[in-house]
Amino acid sequence: IAQQALVIKPLAEKKVTELPAGPLFWRIENFPTLAQAQAAAGPMGLAAESGGKVWLFTLGPAGESSAGGTKVAEMGPLPKVVARQYLLRINEASGPPGSITSVHTHPGSEAVYVLAGEESFRTPHGVKRIGAGQAEVGHTADTPMQASSSGATDLLALVMFLVDADRPFSSPAEFPSAQR
């Protein structure tokens, strides 16, 4: 039986040429309306709707908050990414248990917040499982990885990326031969 692909849907993205100083964190907040989230976004914020809620994702220092928002999670510090131009992107990952991505890499860091189900990330360093209501920082740039819906119910997760905008967002990869 062929495995079903995990569904990945881009929700929001923007390119920036400079990052805030110091260690970087992704802050996730809920807002009553998309217009309010967009108004609070600022230069490092991305607003989107997913799972029946309005979200604002902001890249910046730890411990901050946006007026009108309710903080849900904060993840970091993120692995450092050095580039001429950066892409901030929010993806939604969804699928039934057993759905999976191909093995791939990203030219930067990612972090995930699971709304429902459980998501697993397989890398050469092992498998990390993230359950509903949990937030995790991912691995460093160019790490081969594979994401899957590993819980007993359908997965719905929000994935935040900070990547080199001048490189392909995702590239096919393979695990080292001992990992296959």
Side-chain angles (χ1 to χ4, degrees):
I1 297 173
Q3 289 182 315
Q4 184 170 341
L6 198 63
V7 176
I8 308 296
K9 182 173 103 178
L11 298 180
E13 68 178 36
K14 70 168 61 166
K15 290 182 180 178
V16 297
T17 55
E18 284 186 35
L19 298 176
L24 295 176
F25 292 74
W26 277 110
R27 182 175 69 250
I28 305 174
E29 297 165 301
N30 285 133
F31 278 78
T33 69
L34 186 57
Q36 287 171 301
Q38 289 167 333
M44 295 291 151
L46 295 161
E49 293 179 281
S50 179
K53 293 186 177 183
V54 174
W55 305 89
L56 177 60
F57 307 87
T58 307
L59 183 68
E64 295 189 344
S65 62
S66 304
T70 302
K71 189 179 281 188
V72 175
E74 187 171 75
M75 295 148 311
L78 302 176
K80 191 159 180 65
V81 178
V82 177
R84 185 182 62 80
Q85 181 175 223
Y86 302 92
L87 176 70
L88 310 181
R89 179 187 279 180
I90 309 304
N91 281 354
E92 178 186 86
S94 62
S99 54
I100 194 164
T101 66
S102 60
V103 180
H104 62 282
T105 63
H106 295 289
S109 71
E110 68 185 279
V112 65
Y113 179 69
V114 176
L115 298 173
E118 179 185 78
E119 186 164 15
S120 288
F121 289 94
R122 179 177 166 222
T123 71
H125 312 292
V127 176
K128 184 184 285 191
R129 293 176 175 270
I130 304 149
Q134 293 182 312
E136 286 283 337
V137 171
H139 34 272
T140 57
D142 303 312
T143 299
M145 55 106 27
Q146 188 172 40
S148 63
S149 175
S150 54
T153 59
D154 287 1
L155 172 71
L156 181 60
L158 299 168
V159 189
M160 293 128 279
F161 292 92
L162 166 59
V163 299
D164 183 336
D166 294 330
R167 292 180 53 199
F169 177 75
S170 179
S171 299
E174 291 185 1
F175 289 117
S177 54
Q179 291 274 314
R180 288 192 196 134

